[in-house]
Amino acid sequence: MTLREFLSDRLRRIALQVICAGLATLFLFATGTQPGVLVILLIVLLLAFLTVNMFDFFQQRARLLELKSILDALDRKYLFTECVPQPKGLFERRLFDLARLAGRDMTGAVSDAQASQREYREYVERWVHEIKAPITAARLICRELDGDTRRKLTAELSQIEAHVERALFYARAENPEQDCLFRQIELEKIAAQAIENHRSLLIQNGIRVELENMNCAVYTDEKWAVFILGQLLQNAARYRGPEPAVILSAKPLGRQTQLIVHDNGIGIPAHELPRVFERGFTGSNGRIRGGSTGMGLYLCRKLAVFLELGLDITSTEGNGTVVTLTFPAKENLTKL
Amino acid sequence: MPKIMIIEDDPAIREELALLLENEGYTALVIKRFTDIPAQAAQEQPNLILLDIGLPGKDGFSLCAALRKAVPAPVIFVTSRDASADEVRALSLGGDDYITKPYSVPVLLARIKAVLRRNSGGPEQADLLEAGELRLSLTKGLVASGGKAVELSRNELQILACLMVHAGQIVSRADLIDALWDSQIYIDDNTLSVNMTRLRGKLAEIGLPDAIKTRRGMGYQL
């Protein structure tokens, strides 16, 4: 609040004070008070008004600054009215009571929303676990079928699993810290698990996977790393070119470790590349090939941020895509 | 014949799993009453226990502890719960392995085999495969016939091993690729052809040029 704002806000009151002083002087002059006395009286009156107004200005400004600093310090701004000391003035107190009532309503609405979101997440997790039982049974039953039908059905079941998995990780990505366990793990194991999870899709699309220099350990959450790598493998299968191949290779980068996922697929147009991590972005490839959800890479990015994993993508259209995962050095991890 | 006890509350999975294990040459014991399971186990004395965590009434974790007291058999957790914390808890309670549903059948069988082997302290695997005049040493990667031997690459070794295990039967290309992926060799159809040609060349070197027959449209046969 500047002095000018304060004055313009107080203009009517100040005008009234000046008019009152003028009228009083006029009245005293008419009733025969000496002009000298009147001048002194006028000066004293105006000085008093000035002092009172300036006092109000500084007091109000200090109060506003105090409230501002309380607001700034708050994590949840909507709890502001609950954290402010009771104001002294009657009018301000009433105003605050009203604001507080509004705030309580807001707090209630927010905690209701949080509770229902948490319940929904729990439901999704439970549902995912329940759906896994019939998928497992179906997989076992599949074994009794002859080769070709079995392979086709297994591939469809794997697709269902991949969708279910994404739903689970979408729910988990909201509160990743609840299910995260950092430990040392071989990159080779992560790769083998991810390939195994998407094996039907990869074999069905005739994809060759090569592993190079993968015998090194990283420090991360195994399940999530497998999920992220799995999304990349699925993309490699979906956007494959002729004679598709995926090469997974690892190399150290200082104390960090890089995992490079290189495919020879159709690539991503340069102007779409910056947007591939956006939620729901499918791009021209997704429209042409179909089956794209725009969720895979979005989830990868979200989980990678939490795992403190570098996630970079480069691509040449018609030539392939290279995704680089940079695993942090153990001592640089902030959450363990 | 190893006895495997299945503790699982989903009837469809339970029955299919029992069928699968019987087909693989195990004896499957299916638990249908979920009361006093440790006593049932003590009576049956299985060689291995497959245990689901989400059982009616009691949870698998406490059951595992009770089972470990009742029988010496190793326990493999088979569950749809895939939180990392659950896995750590399962293994710290004395579980020997932890498999999440939905598992692929080869993976399940491989893990069962590994745990049984670890516990019986038996040999890694039969090292020598024999079929007809062929003798294949898996650890050395050598195939021999009539006094002549030749070294095989990893891919060729797995292809030949798969054909020798199913000697006489027709093995389709898809089945061969599946078998190779099981051994962490992630090849495609073209690479399989290339490896097959090389393998045949090497078999010709030891005097068996026509050991592997191509059955057009069906696969290969040894």
Side-chain angles (χ1 to χ4, degrees):
Chain A
M1 186 174 65
T2 63
L3 185 59
R4 163 179 272 179
E5 283 171 334
F6 176 78
L7 288 178
S8 73
D9 186 50
R10 283 256 171 136
L11 199 59
R12 285 213 314 229
R13 196 192 291 184
I14 292 169
L16 187 68
Q17 286 169 341
V18 171
I19 289 168
C20 283
L23 283 176
T25 315
L26 223 64
F27 175 75
L28 289 175
F29 185 67
T31 49
T33 313
Q34 283 181 1
V37 178
L38 282 180
V39 171
I40 293 168
L41 180 72
L42 206 55
I43 290 172
V44 168
L45 267 179
L46 290 177
L47 270 177
F49 290 153
L50 185 68
T51 315
V52 167
N53 280 317
M54 287 316 283
F55 179 77
D56 279 356
F57 170 66
F58 285 115
Q59 197 186 27
Q60 284 188 7
R61 198 174 62 169
R63 172 88 176 142
L64 282 176
L65 283 175
E66 183 199 358
L67 294 179
K68 179 85 168 53
S69 73
I70 291 177
L71 182 69
D72 286 343
L74 271 180
D75 193 24
R76 308 229 180 281
K77 308 283 187 218
Y78 60 85
L79 293 175
F80 176 64
T81 49
E82 300 292 328
C83 305
V84 167
Q86 267 285 337
K88 291 189 189 71
L90 175 70
F91 183 64
E92 204 192 339
R93 205 154 56 220
R94 291 279 184 273
L95 276 184
F96 248 88
D97 287 343
L98 291 176
R100 195 163 289 180
L101 284 177
R104 289 219 174 114
D105 189 51
M106 169 73 152
T107 316
V110 167
S111 73
D112 283 352
Q114 281 173 340
S116 81
Q117 198 197 5
R118 192 179 52 245
E119 280 166 16
Y120 188 66
R121 177 197 135 108
E122 284 166 5
Y123 173 67
V124 169
E125 289 203 21
R126 208 170 51 239
W127 180 87
V128 165
H129 293 147
E130 281 160 6
I131 199 81
K132 280 178 179 175
I135 296 178
T136 309
R139 260 187 187 282
L140 288 168
I141 294 168
C142 261
R143 265 182 48 85
E144 291 151 32
L145 300 168
D146 69 280
D148 216 29
T149 321
R150 184 186 73 221
R151 253 183 280 283
K152 280 182 191 156
L153 268 180
T154 311
E156 293 301 321
L157 284 173
S158 301
Q159 285 282 346
I160 295 176
E161 269 167 50
H163 286 301
V164 166
E165 186 90 318
R166 262 196 296 277
L168 176 66
F169 276 85
Y170 188 80
R172 277 188 183 160
E174 296 299 316
N175 300 78
E177 54 289 321
Q178 287 182 13
D179 182 66
C180 202
L181 192 71
F182 284 89
R183 54 182 165 176
Q184 184 164 314
I185 173 105
E186 295 284 318
L187 261 186
E188 207 159 22
K189 201 176 159 205
I190 293 177
Q193 186 64 50
I195 292 169
E196 182 58 43
N197 287 354
H198 301 288
R199 161 189 185 138
S200 302
L201 181 73
L202 294 169
I203 293 184
Q204 209 184 26
N205 288 306
I207 290 170
R208 187 177 85 239
V209 185
E210 285 174 28
L211 306 182
E212 288 172 6
N213 309 321
M214 293 287 282
N215 49 350
C216 53
V218 293
Y219 209 80
T220 189
D221 180 278
E222 179 186 355
K223 210 154 296 179
W224 293 17
V226 167
F227 175 80
I228 292 175
L229 187 54
Q231 298 305 306
L232 301 178
L233 290 175
Q234 286 184 67
N235 282 349
R238 185 169 294 132
Y239 306 118
R240 69 194 174 278
E243 296 197 18
V246 183
I247 299 166
L248 307 180
S249 57
K251 68 169 191 217
L253 183 83
R255 300 193 64 91
Q256 303 170 323
T257 309
Q258 283 194 320
L259 171 60
I260 298 148
V261 183
H262 188 165
D263 70 51
N264 60 354
I266 54 176
I268 303 163
H271 65 277
E272 289 181 358
L273 205 52
R275 298 188 57 202
V276 292
F277 292 115
E278 285 176 21
R279 186 176 185 279
F281 181 76
T282 51
S284 51
N285 288 343
R287 280 194 294 280
I288 296 162
R289 296 267 164 130
S292 167
T293 56
M295 295 308 275
L297 285 178
Y298 163 74
L299 282 174
C300 285
R301 163 85 110 214
K302 206 165 172 179
L303 296 177
V305 168
F306 187 76
L307 295 177
E308 300 181 32
L309 205 65
L311 182 60
D312 300 294
I313 187 164
T314 56
S315 183
T316 331
E317 219 179 332
N319 225 335
T321 305
V322 181
V323 182
T324 310
L325 290 171
T326 312
F327 289 88
K330 181 180 176 181
E331 56 273 21
N332 291 350
L333 274 171
T334 48
K335 32 192 170 264
L336 286 175
Chain B
M1 212 186 303
K3 270 199 228 173
I4 300 181
M5 180 174 254
I6 301 167
I7 308 178
E8 158 75 61
D9 61 328
D10 185 311
I13 297 181
R14 197 159 65 199
E15 273 147 40
E16 289 302 328
L17 199 55
L19 207 63
L20 166 72
L21 293 177
E22 298 275 358
N23 283 341
E24 292 293 322
Y26 299 108
T27 309
L29 300 166
V30 179
I31 294 278
K32 287 181 181 148
R33 276 182 305 118
F34 294 98
T35 49
D36 63 311
I37 295 175
Q40 292 183 52
Q43 197 187 341
E44 298 284 357
Q45 288 297 330
N47 300 87
L48 179 87
I49 298 171
L50 293 178
L51 176 59
D52 185 15
I53 293 183
L55 289 172
K58 205 168 187 183
D59 87 304
F61 291 123
S62 49
L63 186 56
C64 176
L67 278 171
R68 297 305 314 225
K69 272 185 215 147
V71 280
V75 175
I76 299 183
F77 280 96
V78 182
T79 172
S80 55
R81 302 232 292 238
D82 71 340
S84 309
D86 285 332
E87 182 171 346
V88 170
R89 198 168 153 211
L91 296 180
S92 68
L93 278 171
D96 288 83
D97 205 344
Y98 189 93
I99 304 173
T100 52
K101 287 180 199 162
Y103 38 76
S104 77
V105 173
V107 169
L108 177 73
L109 292 174
R111 306 279 273 271
I112 288 176
K113 213 178 272 178
V115 170
L116 280 175
R117 194 163 56 223
R118 211 157 59 213
N119 271 271
S120 64
E124 256 301 279
Q125 203 172 359
D127 175 52
L128 211 62
L129 278 178
E130 284 187 61
E133 301 159 60
L134 281 174
R135 290 218 323 279
L136 177 66
S137 161
L138 290 170
T139 44
K140 292 183 195 136
L142 275 178
V143 63
S145 168
K148 280 185 277 185
V150 64
E151 223 170 276
L152 298 179
S153 74
R154 190 166 154 243
N155 295 8
E156 294 155 4
L157 179 73
Q158 293 298 337
I159 294 172
L160 188 59
C162 180
L163 288 172
M164 285 175 79
V165 167
H166 299 100
Q169 304 165 15
I170 298 170
V171 182
S172 72
R173 293 178 68 85
D175 285 335
L176 270 178
I177 291 181
D178 261 336
L180 285 163
W181 281 58
D182 281 342
S183 320
Q184 263 118 53
I185 300 169
Y186 309 113
I187 64 165
D188 60 355
D189 208 57
N190 291 335
T191 323
L192 176 64
S193 301
V194 173
N195 280 297
M196 192 53 101
T197 311
R198 280 201 210 125
L199 176 60
R200 281 182 163 148
K202 285 188 180 172
L203 290 179
E205 281 175 37
I206 55 169
L208 292 166
D210 300 317
I212 301 172
K213 290 179 273 295
T214 305
R215 304 292 299 261
R216 200 155 279 285
M218 294 198 282
Y220 300 97
Q221 188 180 20
L222 194 70

